[in-house]
Amino acid sequence: MSNSTADSLRRVTLDDVRGAQKVLSGVARTTAMEGSRHLSQLVGAPVHLKCENLQRTGSFKLRGAYVRIAGLLPEERAAGVVAASAGNHAQGVALASSLLGVHATVFMPKGAPLPKISATREYGAEVRLHGQVVDETLAAAQEYAERTGAVFIHPFDHPDVIAGQGTVGLEILEQCPEVGTIVVGIGGGGLVAGVAVAVKALRPDVRIVGVQAAGSAAYPPSLAAGRPVAIENPATMADGIKVGRPGDVPFGIVTELVDEVRTVSEDQLSAALLLCLERAKLVVEPAGASPVAALLGAPGTLPGPVVAVLSGGNVDPVLLQRVLRHGMAAQGRYLAVRLRLTDRPGALATLLGVLSVVDANVLDVSHVRTDPRLGLTEAEVELHLETKGPAHCAEVGHALREAGYTVIG
């Protein structure tokens, strides 16, 4: 595979993807395809989960990184490689470089989760922390490449990377030959572009649907404009697809081969992550859960069988805790209420007795008795409750009001 700048915009073909599959033999795992009865019932069609969260390094990124670095010329390998990433691409580049005997320098934001920083180092890369956001980190990595001659390994905007990611599509066709729709999360677009190249060449009837987080959806306006358009201040918990501008190479492929791009809300992402954990027993990061979120958001709108690509499972435990709680709240299974009561002995026990009657499980209690906002005989209580759904939440609120409590938040 050529590495010249002029060649960087060449068309990616099925032969490229098949060549990448040979390069990856014995390196990348052929990840499992798991059926989901629960999702199938909700969606109204057979649903299968392509478990790239179980790939080496915890995401599909190893595929593209390895193919790109394996294609470097000897003198380019000798100069080393450099990348910028908050997590998945960093780990993919680190392991690929280690396997190929190439020195890797990876720039990561100062606020990157500690488990991802540690994993990147353990895979053999030299980690440099720079900047507060990925754009600053990316600029630092590109400056390093210009200054040292190291080869910059882009996370999605290169044909070799896209060809590597496209091997996911070949595996899907082998594991689920009857597939009708493939749903893929989109950040810069490398994965969905690669999958589309492979699948549309062999099965043009298969529908390819991309999914973006609503707060970081650069593809819809770009597709409308006919060119990559940058959006300002992309915001989403799904850092794996938090990209402000489509890549030039994947954008051309998406324009031609991807049938539709949908967006999902943060609530839908949380609910999808929770479903993957509870019903499929799979730990998936928010970006990896985005295809499931799209299925939950519009059941019955995609021809089956449907394959949802779970692109990664590298979720920070602190974020996982927050997201799960958010997902439970979105499903009406978690309720936070704040109320005031008379500050007297036994008042808190009486309140908890009301909650016990309606079978609400108390997870946390914050009891404030001294605050300038409170009257002399008042106390404020914030309760975090585990509930059984929207109807149960309404029942809890009704019981509190019937008992004479004023709910203020």
Side-chain angles (χ1 to χ4, degrees), residues 252-263:
I253 297 170
V254 170
T255 300
E256 180 182 354
L257 298 179
V258 174
D259 297 284
E260 181 184 358
V261 175
R262 299 185 176 189
T263 60

Side-chain angles (χ1 to χ4, degrees), residues 270 273-274 277 286 315-329 334:
S270 297
L273 189 150
L274 182 61
L277 185 62
V315 58
D316 178 42
V318 176
L319 175 62
L320 179 61
Q321 183 181 39
R322 287 167 42 206
V323 171
L324 290 178
R325 182 167 289 186
H326 190 80
M328 291 176 68
Y334 177 85

